[in-house]
Each structure stands twice: as C-alpha cells, then as structure tokens.
C-alpha cells in the first residue's frame, strides 16, 4: 500500500497548529492559576480539614440516618463552638490584662522587687540581668525611657503578628465551613481523587496513591495536634499546681507552639527562671523545674510514636517531610511536605521493584562425544 508523502507546506502548517494549541493551553493555565491563587490557601486548608474529619463524619453518619449534609453541618457547628469559646475567653483575658497594666502604669503603682544577690552569679547573663532588674526596681521610668526605641519595634512586630493571627483565624473558619461541603460530597470527592491519581500515576498505582495522601494528612494532623494537646496538658497542670500567673494563657501558648512545630522550651525555660528568681533554689522549685523541662521535651519522644501511625511509609520520612514542609511552606507546608515526600518515596520504590529482571544466560549445548563404531 502506497502512502502519499507529506509536503513541507503541510508539515509547517501542522507544526503551527500544534504551537498555537500549546500557546492557548499555556495561556489558559496561567489565567486559571491567577484566578485560583487568591483562594489557594483557603481551599488547601479546606481539603486538609475535610480529609482529617471525614472518618468522624462516616461514624456519625450511620447514627444520623446516612444524611451526609446533616452530619457535616453538625461537625462544623460543634467544631466552631469548640474553637470560639476559648478564643473569646482568651480575648477577654488579654483585654483585661492590658487594661490593668495601663491603669497601673498611669497610677505609678507598679513596684518591682529588687533582685536577689544570687542573680548576679548566674553564668554568662547574670551581671546584665542583675543590672537591668536593679534599675527596674529603683528607676522604672528611666528604664522605660531608655528602652522606648526598642519597645516601638517590638510593638510593631506584635501588632503585625496579631494581625496575621487574626487573618489566619478567619481563613481557618471559612476553610472549616468549606470542609463541611466537601464532607457532604465525600464519596464523589473520593472517586474524583482516585480518577485524578489514576490518570497521573496509572490505573494500578492511582488508588494506592490517593489512599496514601489521605492517610498521611490524617496522620500528620492527628499526630501534630494530639502531641501539642498532650504537651499542653502536661505543662499546664504543672503551671496551675505551682500557681504561675497566667497559667491558662501560657498553656494555650504551649499548644500554639506545638502546632507550629516550635519547641515548648520557649515557654518553660523563662517560667523556670522566674520561679528560681522569685523562690530561690528550693526543693519544690527544683522539682518543678525538672518536671517542666522534661515535659517541654516530651514531643521528641511522642513524635516517633504517633506521627507515622497508619501510614505505609517509615516514620522518619513523614517526620522529615513535616519539618521540611514547615520550614519551606509554613503551617500548610507541615501537611503538604509529608504528602509529597511519602508519594515520592512510594513511587521511587515502586520504580525500583518494577525494573526488568535480567534473563538468565542460556547455556550452550555441549556436543556429546561420538563413540567409535565397532568393526
């Protein structure tokens, strides 16, 4: 059968059509990305919350007559109430504390006790801390005037941090509402995820990759939040028993630091120093310091136990992904990093296992010796 040769003109026209189509697709992708980008963080958080809460949705749905919409609405409302009450109480406590501090500053009734002589003997920082503390106890007004330029920078940083925290809280609330919509259509969303991963990684690996992504997100969410909550309880109980001022706020700060993957020692060490400065090296203070310091390091023991549970990937891979994602992408990277690293780990070993086996060499036939004929 003879084929008609393609002319140079037809070939150039075909290449031009391919280039035009590729350009239009690239323009469409860029426009879609720019439209999607302002809502990217919101949608990613919605997916993370929906995947994390979906097992609870499945358990409650059986008790509510298999009504997906009612179950998702109930979960969202209860979660909003659980989040709103502590935030409201925290806001009232902060406003009261700021108001009381301003009234004490205006009335001049702030009295700071002089430091003990033992403070000057602290290694490295004892002399500076003693001088600063002594001036604060004798000439607080002069000290405030001296450090006013530094206080302005600190105040601006605190205001910026409060603004970002407020914006993040609003994004989280809207993401929680959207996650309820995703949970209401959970089965359809699951089938869509399997179709997408099957198209990207093949029909055999696609379902496994989808389940791996969901399990990794749940493991990180439960591990990170669970570890932070346990650490908050361990440290908060010690603060309350010891009678530390603002024990509840400090415990909440420990919870937030744990979620952000920051060490709780940022809270515990200053509290330990304050206890030693106010009480001295008594037996109770030493026991409190040892317990609080160990509780502040408890996450180093709990992470290997809880972070990788239920994931078909070694725990170090999940832990490295969480820490690396947190450094590169913030709190969202805390969830995206382990997912990307876990999928890459699985695909790498699948590629290793599917390499073609070398065929065994075929032995050459050995010629049998010819027996001489008998006469």
């Amino acid at each position: 059968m003879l084929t008609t040769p393609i002319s140079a003109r037809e070939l150039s026209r075909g290449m031009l059509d391919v280039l035009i189509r590729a350009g239009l697709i690239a323009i469409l992708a860029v426009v879609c990305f720019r439209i999607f980008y302002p809502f990217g963080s919101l949608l990613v958080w919605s997916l993370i919350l929906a995947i994390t809460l979906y097992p609870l949705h499945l358990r409650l749905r059986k008790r509510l007559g298999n009504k997906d919409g009612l179950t998702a609405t109930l979960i969202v409302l209860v979660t909003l109430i659980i989040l709103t009450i502590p935030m409201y109480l925290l806001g009232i406590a902060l406003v009261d504390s700021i108001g009381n501090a301003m009234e004490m500053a205006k009335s001049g009734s702030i009295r700071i006790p002089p430091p003990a002589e033992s403070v000057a003997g602290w290694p490295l920082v004892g002399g500076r801390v003693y001088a600063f503390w002594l001036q604060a106890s004798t000439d607080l007004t002069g000290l405030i005037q001296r450090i006013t330029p530094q206080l302005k920078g600190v105040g601006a940083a605190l205001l910026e941090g409060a603004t970002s925290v407020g914006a993040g809280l609003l994004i989280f609330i809207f993401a929680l509402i959207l996650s309820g919509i995703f949970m209401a259509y959970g089965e359809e969303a699951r089938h869509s995820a399997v179709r997408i991963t099957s198209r990207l990684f093949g029909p055999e690996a696609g379902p496994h990759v989808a389940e791996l992504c969901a399990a990794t997100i749940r493991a990180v969410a439960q591990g990170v939040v669970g570890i932070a909550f346990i650490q908050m309880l361990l440290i908060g109980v010690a603060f309350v028993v010891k009678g530390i001022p603002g024990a509840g706020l400090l415990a909440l700060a420990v919870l937030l630091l744990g979620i952000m993957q920051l060490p709780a020692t940022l809270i515990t060490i200053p509290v330990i120093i304050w206890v030693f400065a106010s009480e001295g090296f008594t037996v109770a203070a030493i026991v409190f310091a040892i317990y609080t310091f160990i509780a502040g390091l408890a996450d180093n023991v709990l992470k290997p136990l809880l972070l990788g549970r239920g994931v078909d990937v070694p725990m170090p891979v999940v832990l490295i992904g969480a820490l690396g994602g947190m450094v590169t992408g913030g709190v969202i990277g805390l969830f995206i990093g382990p997912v990307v690293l876990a999928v890459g780990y699985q695909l790498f070993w699948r590629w290793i296992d599917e390499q073609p086996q070398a065929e065994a060499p075929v032995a050459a036939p050995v010629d049998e010796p010819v027996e001489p004929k008998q006469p």
Side-chain angles (χ1 to χ4, degrees):
M1 181 177 181
L2 299 178
T3 58
T4 304
I6 301 176
S7 63
R9 185 175 181 180
E10 293 177 349
L11 181 61
S12 62
R13 181 179 297 175
M15 291 291 296
L16 182 61
D17 291 342
V18 171
L19 292 175
I20 291 174
R21 292 174 183 175
L24 291 176
I25 293 174
I27 293 173
L28 179 62
V30 170
V31 173
C32 291
F33 175 78
R34 296 190 63 179
I35 294 173
F36 174 80
Y37 182 77
F39 307 97
S41 177
L42 177 64
L43 293 177
V44 171
W45 271 118
S46 302
L47 289 174
I48 291 173
L49 291 173
I51 293 173
T52 304
L53 297 174
Y54 193 64
L56 176 62
H57 174 88
L58 292 178
R59 287 195 291 267
L60 291 178
R61 185 180 64 176
K62 298 178 181 179
R63 302 181 180 181
L64 297 176
N66 293 325
K67 297 180 180 179
D68 289 321
L70 177 61
T71 306
T73 304
L74 181 62
I75 293 175
V76 170
L77 290 178
V78 172
T79 308
L80 285 176
I81 292 173
I82 294 174
L83 291 175
T84 303
I85 293 177
M87 291 300 174
Y88 175 74
L89 297 177
L90 176 61
I92 292 178
L94 290 176
V95 171
D96 292 341
S97 300
I98 294 174
N100 294 333
M102 292 180 64
E103 290 180 0
M104 293 176 64
K106 290 179 181 179
S107 62
S109 59
I110 299 178
R111 294 290 183 269
I112 298 177
E117 295 295 334
S118 60
V119 176
W122 291 356
L124 300 178
V125 297
R128 295 181 181 179
V129 172
Y130 182 83
F132 184 86
W133 194 344
L134 182 62
Q135 185 179 1
S137 62
T138 56
D139 186 16
L140 182 59
T141 303
L143 178 62
I144 293 176
Q145 291 177 354
R146 182 165 65 88
I147 64 175
T148 296
Q150 291 81 2
L151 291 178
K152 290 182 179 179
V154 173
L158 290 176
L159 181 60
E160 182 179 357
T163 304
S164 62
V165 169
L169 182 60
L170 289 177
I171 291 176
F172 187 82
I173 291 174
F174 283 113
L176 183 61
I177 296 173
L178 285 179
S179 69
I181 299 175
F182 289 151
M183 286 187 291
Y185 296 93
E187 291 299 326
E188 292 83 351
R190 178 178 172 277
H191 290 313
S192 299
V194 171
R195 289 176 59 190
I196 293 172
T197 53
S198 298
R199 186 68 177 89
L200 292 175
F201 304 104
E204 295 182 359
H208 177 69
V209 170
E211 294 296 332
L212 176 64
C213 294
T216 305
I217 290 176
R218 292 191 189 107
V220 173
Q222 295 171 3
V224 170
V225 178
I227 292 171
F229 186 76
I230 293 173
Q231 201 167 25
M232 179 197 69
L233 290 179
L234 294 175
I235 297 175
V237 169
F239 286 175
V240 171
V241 172
K242 190 60 179 175
I244 303 298
L249 295 179
L250 293 175
L252 182 60
V254 171
L255 175 64
L256 296 177
L257 289 177
I259 294 175
M260 293 186 293
Q261 295 296 284
L262 296 176
T265 51
L266 295 175
I267 301 294
T268 58
I269 290 180
V271 172
I272 291 172
I273 294 174
W274 180 85
V275 170
F276 281 144
S278 59
E279 298 184 6
F281 290 90
T282 61
V283 176
I286 293 174
V287 172
F288 170 80
I290 294 175
Y291 172 82
T292 306
F293 184 76
I294 294 176
L297 300 177
D299 58 333
N300 297 319
V301 179
L302 295 175
K303 281 179 182 177
L305 297 177
L306 299 179
L307 196 56
R309 294 183 61 185
V311 182
D312 190 18
V313 170
M315 188 280 303
V317 175
V318 180
L319 181 59
I320 293 172
L323 296 178
M326 181 73 183
V327 172
T328 57
V331 180
I332 292 182
L334 178 67
F335 297 91
I336 298 178
V339 171
V340 174
L341 206 59
V343 172
Y345 176 87
Q346 287 284 350
L347 292 178
F348 173 76
W349 283 107
R350 182 179 292 272
W351 174 71
I352 292 294
D353 294 336
E354 290 180 356
Q355 62 180 341
Q357 301 292 333
E359 296 182 0
V362 180
V366 179
D367 296 334
E368 297 181 356
V370 180
E371 297 181 357
K373 294 181 178 181
Q374 296 293 334

